[in-house]
Amino acid sequence: MKSFTIKALAVAAASVCGSAAFAGTATVPAGVTTYAVEALTSTTAVTLPALSYKMGVARTSAQDFTVVIKPVGGSTFDGTVCNSAKPATVAAAAVNDITVSLKRASSTECAYEVDITNAAGSDTNLVMNFTGLKLTAHSLASGGTEKVTVGLWDLGETARIDNSADLTVTVANAGQAVTILSGTDTGTTANVDDTNGPLFGFVAQNNDSATTAAAAFVVSNNPNGYKIADGVTAYDLANVNHATKVSVTMTGDFDGATLTNGAVTGVSVAPMNGAAAVTVTGTTSAKFDLLPANFNASTVNQVVNVSFVASGAKSLGTARFFGVSAVVDSVVGADETVANSNFWTWDANAIELRSAFFNNADDFVRFFFQNVGSAAGYSATCQAEAGQTVTYGTAKTGTLINGMTMVLAKDICSFSGGKRGAITFVINAPAKNVKGVFQQAVNGLSAGYIPLERPYAGKTY
């Protein structure tokens, strides 16, 4: 058995333990590129960022080698660019002179021969940059991540060099470039004291006037600068080569807006640049298109101002909710839908209490109200059956004291035929303060009670 000096053993141990320090590294110096899903399909040719390999071992002039780069996970290369992606020839340097030639090119790999052309060989500062590799099938259009592997072999590709296995490098990922920002405008309040009638207009506050309520939603135009397929240019809604339009649908209750020839015209929008024509279908859907000219350059948010002009002819209720969705019509990628389901909500300086049935037969048919807050005014609206008309009495309006208030049904309204109908009370008080019930005890018989309903949820319920 051979014996070794302590010094020899130490040198050998250092050589083994330190071998990992000499392993080559594969990186993407400019960073992983993020592509806009709106700019891609699964087969759009995508230019990858430059891939760099730094040698971890020195090579002599007789130790030429092979570099094999492969896509991962079923993705494929554009083999036609393998040759143009090879590193440039380096000559007349003290060391690290190389010439790189293409060995193989296909959809599954780009393989290169690297010849060490300097008689002094190369050292661990030898860097090879592969620029312009392309993927032709990938997962980026669905927001996936793409990787490649890099392996170094001897010329015969029978033995590995520099690393004992392929190195895996993340080169690309993808994300949604366009969104509608979340957030809710809660600054609109229907006014129970409107001069045209209770809740016929708005409280003049924030950006609202007595007749016009205003809000805005924001289309975020690629704030992170995600790229199109060339890997350099940012996707941009203002670029006609990237998107043709953004088709917007605003949903909510547009009843009570101004009308022209029976159609709702009191809803308008004002993009940051230019104008957009609004088409309102019925009273629940408003549609318009934002064109590239309406947008500022990529990374700038697009503010879309919305206005609702009240007709002043009917109650707007005590709560409304508006949402917005938009279809991004991309030139290359699939159409994408972005949305904010609740970008604008209204409340009121009043509440509503309703009953789908009441009658006004005699003095034993009454409404009782409990008010735990300050005295509050009310106004009642009666609905009759088909073919009948309503005549209002002295109790159409009144005051609910702090405590209990009783109101005779027959004093509120009467009908041209029959004794029954439906009713809505608008009360100038917070929802938490007032409750109501309808009492029916015709001819003094045993009483029945119907609690009045609050039709709106949230803080007005």
Side-chain angles (χ1 to χ4, degrees), residues 340-406:
N340 178 353
S341 61
N342 192 19
F343 85 94
W344 191 12
T345 67
W346 301 358
D347 59 11
N349 54 6
I351 60 169
E352 288 185 16
L353 296 178
R354 296 182 184 178
S355 178
F357 165 80
F358 81 103
N359 69 53
N360 51 14
D362 57 31
D363 289 343
F364 296 99
V365 180
R366 300 173 283 188
F367 292 94
F368 291 92
F369 297 93
Q370 178 195 35
N371 180 10
V372 298
S374 302
Y378 76 85
S379 175
T381 301
C382 298
Q383 294 89 35
E385 294 183 272
Q388 296 187 27
T389 59
V390 176
T391 300
Y392 287 101
T394 57
K396 172 180 172 53
T397 60
T399 300
L400 305 183
I401 66 168
N402 173 259
M404 188 188 78
T405 300
M406 183 275 293

Side-chain angles (χ1 to χ4, degrees), residues 58-154:
R59 304 292 286 175
T60 71
S61 58
Q63 292 178 313
D64 300 333
F65 58 93
T66 299
V67 179
V68 181
I69 305 174
K70 298 180 179 181
V72 173
S75 299
T76 59
F77 274 153
D78 177 356
T80 66
V81 301
C82 289
N83 188 52
S84 61
K86 67 180 183 288
T89 297
V90 178
V95 290
N96 298 336
D97 290 355
I98 59 172
T99 297
V100 182
S101 57
L102 184 67
K103 287 183 74 172
R104 296 185 305 277
S106 70
S107 62
T108 59
E109 65 176 0
C110 294
Y112 304 93
E113 179 177 327
V114 181
D115 298 323
I116 308 298
T117 56
N118 192 300
S122 65
D123 61 22
T124 56
N125 290 315
L126 174 58
V127 175
M128 296 169 286
N129 294 312
F130 300 86
T131 305
L133 293 170
K134 289 185 178 182
L135 293 176
T136 53
H138 47 77
S139 63
L140 296 172
S142 56
T145 297
E146 290 297 324
K147 301 177 181 181
V148 299
T149 61
V150 185
L152 270 62
W153 302 81
D154 62 12

Side-chain angles (χ1 to χ4, degrees), residues 134-431:
K134 289 185 178 182
L135 293 176
T136 53
H138 47 77
S139 63
L140 296 172
S142 56
T145 297
E146 290 297 324
K147 301 177 181 181
V148 299
T149 61
V150 185
L152 270 62
W153 302 81
D154 62 12
L155 282 183
E157 300 183 41
T158 58
R160 289 186 180 272
I161 64 170
D162 212 10
N163 284 290
S164 60
D166 287 349
L167 301 181
T168 301
V169 185
T170 298
V171 290
N173 53 37
Q176 183 176 313
V178 179
T179 60
I180 292 180
L181 298 185
S182 60
T184 303
D185 185 319
T186 59
T188 295
T189 300
N191 186 11
V192 73
D193 297 316
D194 187 78
T195 56
N196 291 308
L199 304 177
F200 280 37
F202 305 102
V203 176
Q205 61 182 8
N206 304 317
N207 293 321
D208 298 344
S209 70
T211 58
T212 303
F217 63 89
V218 177
V219 181
S220 184
N221 183 16
N222 195 12
N224 299 307
Y226 295 163
K227 309 304 181 187
I228 64 171
D230 66 8
V232 176
T233 307
Y235 181 84
D236 188 0
L237 291 174
N239 190 326
V240 295
N241 296 313
H242 297 175
T244 58
K245 62 183 176 180
V246 177
S247 297
V248 181
T249 299
M250 191 168 73
T251 56
D253 183 358
F254 303 111
D255 190 28
T258 55
L259 304 174
T260 301
N261 297 325
V264 175
T265 55
V267 179
S268 63
V269 298
M272 188 178 295
N273 302 316
V278 180
T279 300
V280 180
T281 302
T283 58
T284 60
S285 177
K287 296 185 177 182
F288 56 94
D289 289 337
L290 300 176
L291 303 178
N294 293 130
F295 289 91
N296 285 335
S298 179
T299 75
V300 177
N301 287 339
Q302 168 68 63
V303 178
V304 181
N305 293 297
V306 178
S307 295
F308 183 110
V309 181
S311 66
K314 65 190 314 182
S315 171
L316 301 171
T318 57
R320 292 195 183 185
F321 308 88
F322 295 90
V324 64
S325 63
V327 177
V328 181
D329 185 12
S330 291
V331 172
V332 176
D335 291 350
E336 176 187 45
T337 300
V338 292
N340 178 353
S341 61
N342 192 19
F343 85 94
W344 191 12
T345 67
W346 301 358
D347 59 11
N349 54 6
I351 60 169
E352 288 185 16
L353 296 178
R354 296 182 184 178
S355 178
F357 165 80
F358 81 103
N359 69 53
N360 51 14
D362 57 31
D363 289 343
F364 296 99
V365 180
R366 300 173 283 188
F367 292 94
F368 291 92
F369 297 93
Q370 178 195 35
N371 180 10
V372 298
S374 302
Y378 76 85
S379 175
T381 301
C382 298
Q383 294 89 35
E385 294 183 272
Q388 296 187 27
T389 59
V390 176
T391 300
Y392 287 101
T394 57
K396 172 180 172 53
T397 60
T399 300
L400 305 183
I401 66 168
N402 173 259
M404 188 188 78
T405 300
M406 183 275 293
V407 181
L408 287 175
K410 70 175 186 178
D411 291 341
I412 298 173
C413 63
S414 60
F415 306 107
S416 58
K419 298 292 185 180
R420 64 190 182 197
I423 193 166
T424 298
F425 292 93
V426 176
I427 303 166
N428 190 6

